[in-house]
């Protein structure tokens, strides 16, 4: 979930909890959240499935994209005066559930590899 941890000196980013789900209720491993990103400009993220070439969902990976901006300075970004826009979207990330050496679960994030397929030929992108 997108969260603003500023008051506690924490990121304004994506908080999450790991734990167990029995089909009816979720039990968190810890009361305090973990943070998917520790910066202050990855907010309002959404996730979506990764699919293989046959269209099947890969349950091991999700993609995520976030808003690169911050409500504390949303109206004073350098791009608003020079380029006429305010904030942008992040690079798409792959999100995977991992285990630390101690056995604790956490979400790992890394940039997604480039797509190898397109819906249009690259020469048509500029039109």
């Amino acid at each position: 979930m997108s969260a603003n941890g500023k008051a506690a000196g924490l990121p304004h980013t994506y908080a999450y909890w790991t734990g167990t789900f029995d089909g009816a209720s979720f039990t968190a491993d810890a009361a305090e959240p973990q943070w998917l990103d520790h910066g202050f400009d990855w907010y309002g993220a959404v996730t979506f499935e990764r699919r293989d070439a046959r269209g099947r969902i890969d349950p091991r990976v999700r993609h995520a994209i976030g808003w690169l901006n911050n409500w504390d300075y949303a109206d004073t970004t350098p791009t608003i005066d020079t380029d006429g826009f305010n904030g942008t979207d992040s690079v798409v990330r792959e999100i995977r559930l991992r285990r630390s050496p101690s056995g604790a679960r956490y979400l790992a994030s890394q940039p997604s590899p480039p797509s190898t397929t397109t819906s249009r030929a690259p020469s048509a992108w500029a039109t």
Side-chain angles (χ1 to χ4, degrees):
M1 73 187 295
S2 290
N4 185 341
K6 179 181 178 183
L10 297 169
H12 314 193
T13 183
Y14 208 80
Y16 69 93
W17 289 260
T18 59
T20 56
F21 181 67
D22 65 9
S25 62
F26 176 77
T27 303
D29 291 333
E32 293 298 315
Q34 297 182 66
W35 299 90
L36 188 55
D37 188 277
H38 289 273
F40 289 85
D41 287 332
W42 198 72
Y43 191 78
V46 294
T47 68
F48 51 98
E49 298 97 359
R50 181 171 83 175
R51 295 182 178 263
D52 65 18
R54 295 174 134 178
R56 295 176 299 205
I57 295 172
D58 181 345
R60 301 165 300 161
V61 180
R62 289 191 67 82
H63 291 292
I65 190 168
W67 178 52
L68 297 179
N69 208 334
N70 187 305
W71 289 114
D72 286 348
Y73 48 81
D75 295 324
T76 59
T77 60
T79 57
I80 195 71
D81 293 329
T82 60
D83 301 315
F85 73 92
N86 193 350
T88 193
D89 290 326
S90 70
V91 169
V92 176
R93 301 175 180 194
E94 286 186 347
I95 309 296
R96 296 175 185 265
L97 183 63
R98 300 278 193 210
R99 277 195 188 271
S100 70
S102 69
R105 294 184 204 110
Y106 67 95
L107 294 178
S109 166
Q110 69 180 30
S112 294
S115 176
T116 57
T117 61
T118 62
S119 59
R120 295 187 292 168
S123 61
W125 291 352
T127 60

